[in-house]
Amino acid sequence: MLYVKNLKKSYTVGKNIYPVLKGVSLSVAKGEFAAVMGPSGSGKSTLLNCISCYIPFDEGHIALGGQELKGLDEAGLAKVRNEKLGFVFQDFMLLDGLTIRENILVPRIIQGKADRSAEALADRLLRLFGITHIAGKYPAEVSGGERQRTAVARSLINRPLMILADEPTGNLDSRSSRTVIESFENARNQMGATIFMVTHDSFSASFCDKVILLKDGRIYRQLSNSGNQKQFHNILLDAVGEMSQDENEMEVL
């Protein structure tokens, strides 16, 4: 589904060049729920922005659903963003003047394809994520967890190849975070969704099939979930602790 090979990205500030991604290679299979974790400055957001076609990369390859993204013109990149990717942001990005149901339909409205099939899918998503009871309410009238579940539903209305989620539980309490992660699990299990999530939260990541640890622009470790969430959470905590310890030792040296 998603293949990233030897991805490199640098930023230039004045005469200085700052490498952020230093040869990242990874893959996410169809129907897989994967997460990327790492300290601030590790390159997580840059990686997500390269995959989402919002910023160009310097070297390497990104293929989504068999389509190579490098070399696409702006129209081609926009087509990928609009038709093949769904997005979930930390700040929800819902439109205050629209109801919850209307917010879910926004991508189809923009495309001029808000037909009966789109409305039927919106109603299915409302049921799937347990937000039918707030379908006629506005974002300001519902909880943060309900707003984020709405955002997850909206990301699926175009039946994208992949959902990209940027710190989707960052502004939520633990209970709301759990319901949002359950929404992703439902999307994967009942709709075959493929999800690539950037997160700092090891608890949320412990529900993923795979977690990629990123450090200083390189992959530090890749960890697979055997199916025991509690055990995987402990493995993640140990790995993150080791990564932090290695970083502290480098600073001492």
Side-chain angles (χ1 to χ4, degrees):
M1 177 59 69
L2 173 70
Y3 295 94
V4 177
K5 184 176 181 180
N6 197 33
L7 190 67
K8 297 180 181 180
K9 173 64 180 176
S10 299
Y11 293 104
T12 301
V13 180
K15 296 182 179 180
N16 297 317
I17 298 175
Y18 298 95
V20 179
L21 299 177
K22 306 170 185 177
V24 171
S25 297
L26 59 89
S27 64
V28 180
K30 180 177 173 57
E32 192 169 42
F33 185 7
V36 175
M37 295 182 66
S40 178
S42 61
K44 302 188 302 298
S45 295
T46 296
L47 174 61
L48 196 69
N49 285 329
C50 288
I51 294 170
S52 64
C53 307
Y54 280 115
I55 62 172
F57 49 94
D58 303 331
E59 297 180 35
H61 299 275
I62 301 176
L64 179 64
Q67 180 181 16
E68 174 65 50
L69 302 186
K70 191 172 185 179
L72 291 179
D73 58 18
E74 188 52 45
L77 293 173
K79 186 177 178 66
V80 170
R81 287 193 294 266
N82 294 334
E83 298 180 7
K84 296 187 176 183
L85 294 172
F87 297 92
V88 180
F89 304 98
Q90 181 175 347
D91 295 324
F92 319 127
M93 302 295 285
L94 301 180
L95 298 176
D96 293 336
L98 299 182
T99 65
I100 294 300
R101 188 174 185 272
E102 290 168 342
N103 265 285
I104 294 172
L105 282 165
V106 160
R108 295 293 286 267
I109 293 171
I110 292 173
Q111 293 181 353
K113 298 179 180 179
D115 51 18
R116 289 186 179 179
S117 66
E119 293 188 359
L121 179 55
D123 291 335
R124 179 189 174 191
L125 292 168
L126 285 164
R127 292 191 298 271
L128 179 62
F129 299 135
I131 50 176
T132 302
H133 63 291
I134 60 168
K137 292 187 176 182
Y138 294 89
E141 299 175 322
V142 304
S143 70
E146 289 169 333
R147 276 178 276 176
Q148 195 61 297
R149 278 182 280 165
T150 301
V152 176
R154 179 187 59 194
S155 74
L156 287 162
I157 196 68
N158 278 337
R159 296 186 178 275
L161 292 179
M162 175 172 284
I163 295 174
L164 299 179
D166 187 7
E167 298 282 5
T169 61
N171 286 336
L172 303 176
D173 59 33
S174 58
R175 182 176 180 180
S176 296
S177 296
R178 182 68 183 96
T179 62
V180 169
I181 295 301
E182 286 175 353
S183 297
F184 284 127
E185 290 182 309
N186 288 339
R188 175 194 59 191
N189 296 337
Q190 298 190 39
M191 297 188 68
T194 305
I195 304 153
F196 189 73
M197 176 177 71
V198 167
T199 184
H200 68 280
D201 181 12
S202 59
F203 180 75
S204 295
S206 68
F207 291 90
C208 295
D209 302 308
K210 176 170 65 181
V211 176
I212 299 159
L213 299 182
L214 202 61
K215 177 184 176 184
D216 295 330
R218 294 186 173 90
I219 291 180
Y220 178 79
R221 286 181 67 182
Q222 294 195 50
L223 303 167
S224 297
N225 191 342
S226 63
N228 186 318
Q229 179 267 325
K230 290 184 178 180
Q231 183 181 57
F232 192 46
H233 188 208
N234 290 331
I235 291 172
L236 283 176
L237 290 174
D238 289 342
V240 170
E242 290 172 6
M243 184 167 62
S244 299
Q245 184 176 0
D246 289 346
E247 187 173 8
N248 291 335
E249 289 176 354
M250 287 297 293
E251 289 177 356
V252 171
L253 294 174

